[in-house]
Amino acid sequence: MRKIFIIYLLLIVLTACGSESHDRPQDIRQEVWDEGQQIVITVKQYVEQEMKGELKEFAHVSGTFGRVKSRDDATESEIQLVEAVNELYQQSLFYGIFGEGVENNEGYFKALKEVEKIYGEEALDYSNYDATKLEPLLIKVVGEQLEQDEQEEDSSPIELFKKENRISLDAKTVQYDMPNNLDKSFVISGTLELDDYFNYGFDDEKAYFSTFIIPDDGTYSDGWNLYFSRKDFEKLFNDLLSSEKHVIVEAVIPSYQYKEGEGNMALVKRGQW
């Protein structure tokens, strides 16, 4: 996401005034015409200034612009325009990604000629760059990326585990407010290994085996001693004998076992690894 905002700011900084573009065909909407022109000018600038990173990241913008073709109201002229603009961007990537240099890429110059036929060579000069014409598209790209990031976060293994088991608490919340979260399930994920620590109310070595977990979002000092039923988690015990495991578990601190002053200690109800 940060890179998209950097591109957006860069486009604003590079803004310059210049001559008017060539006449727009009546069957091409103004915003499609303007966005295509600014994309071409930007791609040319990135290539000429050897801005490889910016060129690669511009794929978000080019891809969003390309979806104009799938709109129900897209005209044939708009589709041809979008295809020509996107072809120029795709050909530019031989320089941006593969580093071959556009001077040896006939496809890039062929694609450039095609968009010059549409806009006119003068219209694609950098003096005609105007970031305000590209701003609505950039805002849309940023919004879509934010939405995608949120969806990916919601579909993470930990979030799915929470939803499936109807758990809202996490280990850090319980760690810093333990007396008020007894008997409440919480989720913790991290690297788990066998341990031999039994103390306070957690001292039934026949019924449970002891482990130590370092949370994914914490350090060693945030670690927990987790106790698993030997009967219910026999397979996990055998797996841990050979190596540590990454796990996601539902744990609880029973009030009848809790003793004031104890550290991060809890019983595990269920888990996946």
Side-chain angles (χ1 to χ4, degrees), residues 95-273:
Y95 159 76
I97 292 179
F98 303 110
E100 297 179 357
V102 292
E103 66 275 6
N104 300 318
N105 180 10
E106 295 181 1
Y108 173 80
F109 292 104
K110 181 179 179 180
L112 182 59
K113 288 295 182 183
E114 290 301 314
V115 292
E116 287 177 345
K117 289 178 183 178
I118 298 173
Y119 287 102
E121 184 176 353
E122 182 182 349
L124 301 177
D125 184 83
Y126 189 68
S127 62
N128 290 307
Y129 182 81
D130 184 351
T132 62
K133 293 181 179 179
L134 204 54
E135 186 174 0
L137 181 61
L138 291 168
I139 292 174
K140 183 178 180 181
V141 170
V142 171
E144 291 177 349
Q145 194 64 36
L146 285 172
E147 183 178 353
Q148 180 179 342
D149 290 346
E150 291 175 356
Q151 291 175 349
E152 290 177 354
E153 183 177 345
D154 291 340
S155 62
S156 69
I158 296 175
E159 291 304 315
L160 290 175
F161 187 87
K162 283 183 174 181
K163 289 180 181 179
E164 291 173 358
N165 297 289
R166 299 180 180 180
I167 305 170
S168 59
L169 282 174
D170 55 42
K172 187 160 292 186
T173 301
V174 175
Q175 176 182 352
Y176 292 105
D177 191 17
M178 200 169 290
N180 292 315
N181 286 297
L182 301 178
D183 300 318
K184 296 179 182 179
S185 290
F186 64 93
V187 171
I188 182 170
S189 68
T191 303
L192 185 76
E193 63 181 5
L194 287 174
D195 201 87
D196 58 4
Y197 182 74
F198 289 88
N199 205 344
Y200 291 90
F202 302 87
D203 55 3
D204 190 348
E205 297 186 43
K206 290 185 177 180
Y208 301 95
F209 62 89
S210 174
T211 67
F212 186 77
I213 186 171
I214 299 177
D216 291 328
D217 59 351
T219 62
Y220 186 87
S221 61
D222 298 310
W224 284 73
N225 280 100
L226 298 179
Y227 298 90
F228 292 78
S229 166
R230 292 186 182 275
K231 177 181 178 181
D232 297 334
F233 292 95
E234 181 179 2
K235 184 179 186 307
L236 176 60
F237 176 77
N238 290 329
D239 290 344
L240 290 171
L241 287 173
S242 58
S243 65
E244 60 188 22
K245 297 292 179 182
H246 185 273
V247 301
I248 303 175
V249 302
E250 174 187 355
V252 64
I253 304 174
S255 56
Y256 68 88
Q257 286 181 288
Y258 175 74
K259 293 184 180 180
E260 186 177 354
E262 72 179 48
N264 296 338
M265 305 169 70
L267 295 180
V268 174
K269 299 174 65 176
R270 61 170 59 88
Q272 63 184 45
W273 63 94

Side-chain angles (χ1 to χ4, degrees), residues 3-20:
K3 291 182 179 179
I4 294 177
F5 284 109
I6 290 174
I7 291 173
Y8 175 67
L9 292 174
L10 179 61
L11 291 171
I12 296 296
V13 171
L14 294 176
T15 302
C17 298
S19 59
E20 296 180 357

Side-chain angles (χ1 to χ4, degrees), residues 27-29 31-32 67-76 78-79:
D27 57 347
I28 296 180
R29 281 163 290 194
E31 65 271 19
V32 176
R67 292 206 295 271
V68 170
K69 294 192 302 179
S70 61
R71 289 172 52 169
D72 294 336
D73 57 352
T75 66
E76 286 297 323
E78 288 177 338
I79 292 174

